[in-house]
Amino acid sequence: EDAITVYEELIARFGKNDLPALQEQVARALFNKGCRLGSLDRPNDEIAAYDELIDRFGRNDLPALQEQVAKALFNKGGTLGALHRHDDEIAAYDELITRFSKNDLPAVQEQVAKAMVNKAITLGTLDRNDDAIAAYDELIDRFGKNDLVTLQEPVARALFNKGCRLGALDR
């Protein structure tokens, strides 16, 4: 609770300032506020914090802000999934994937790859096997030849999960 209060003070004090360094701190405060609210089992407030971050900084092209927006969309998707709001979860992942499909920042691409894995897992959970396999294929095609370590793990996970999904279909 104390951390949330401090984040709210930072947001109130510097939220209207246009200096990039202060905008980055506000974005990070909103992200951390969302994480803390989630740890306090307040998922709706957590999602609201992520939405505020996305609304405030979603159109900003500063790399540090793009990374925070991508992380907020990823976490929002996870929280929606935990609430069994799977269509909304998939929509959050799709927004992240679409919004940052052309972004080449490694930290942002990592969020895109992780969102693609989670989307495919959720589709599989919903027995949308063909869609899940297509989502895994999209990830593998997109990042399979990338040498970044942070992208190799989601590719490996996609290949493994795709194999499991295909194996389950063969039964």
Side-chain angles (χ1 to χ4, degrees):
E1 292 288 341
D2 292 340
I4 293 169
T5 301
V6 172
Y7 294 139
E8 288 173 344
E9 181 182 342
L10 188 155
I11 295 161
R13 185 178 291 188
F14 299 108
K16 303 256 188 245
N17 195 302
D18 289 338
L19 291 173
L22 294 178
Q23 288 181 335
E24 181 181 350
Q25 292 303 315
V26 170
R28 291 176 67 201
L30 283 165
F31 180 78
N32 285 358
K33 177 182 173 183
C35 292
R36 296 301 153 253
L37 289 163
S39 69
L40 293 172
D41 198 27
R42 294 171 51 190
N44 292 322
D45 294 332
E46 176 186 5
I47 291 167
Y50 296 143
D51 282 341
E52 184 178 350
L53 190 162
I54 295 161
D55 290 344
R56 279 188 185 215
F57 300 109
R59 289 169 187 67
N60 195 305
D61 61 357
L62 291 173
L65 298 178
Q66 291 177 340
E67 181 180 348
Q68 294 301 314
V69 170
K71 287 169 50 178
L73 282 164
F74 180 78
N75 280 17
K76 177 181 175 181
T79 302
L80 289 164
L83 294 171
H84 303 286
R85 293 173 50 190
H86 298 298
D87 290 337
D88 294 331
E89 173 190 10
I90 291 168
Y93 294 142
D94 280 341
E95 182 179 349
L96 192 165
I97 294 162
T98 300
R99 184 182 291 231
F100 294 108
S101 66
K102 305 254 188 264
N103 189 304
D104 60 357
L105 295 170
V108 172
Q109 287 304 295
E110 178 184 359
Q111 297 301 314
V112 170
K114 289 173 23 181
M116 293 173 92
V117 168
N118 283 10
K119 175 184 173 181
I121 290 169
T122 301
L123 290 166
T125 301
L126 298 172
D127 290 325
R128 293 173 53 189
N129 293 316
D130 291 339
D131 293 334
I133 291 168
Y136 289 130
D137 285 340
E138 182 182 352
L139 185 153
I140 294 162
D141 289 345
R142 182 169 181 174
F143 296 113
K145 294 180 181 165
N146 195 305
D147 292 337
L148 287 174
V149 174
T150 56
L151 297 177
Q152 291 174 355
E153 191 276 330
V155 170
R157 192 167 181 201
L159 285 164
F160 180 81
N161 289 354
K162 178 182 175 184
C164 291
R165 182 72 37 205
L166 288 168
L169 292 177
D170 289 342
R171 292 181 187 180

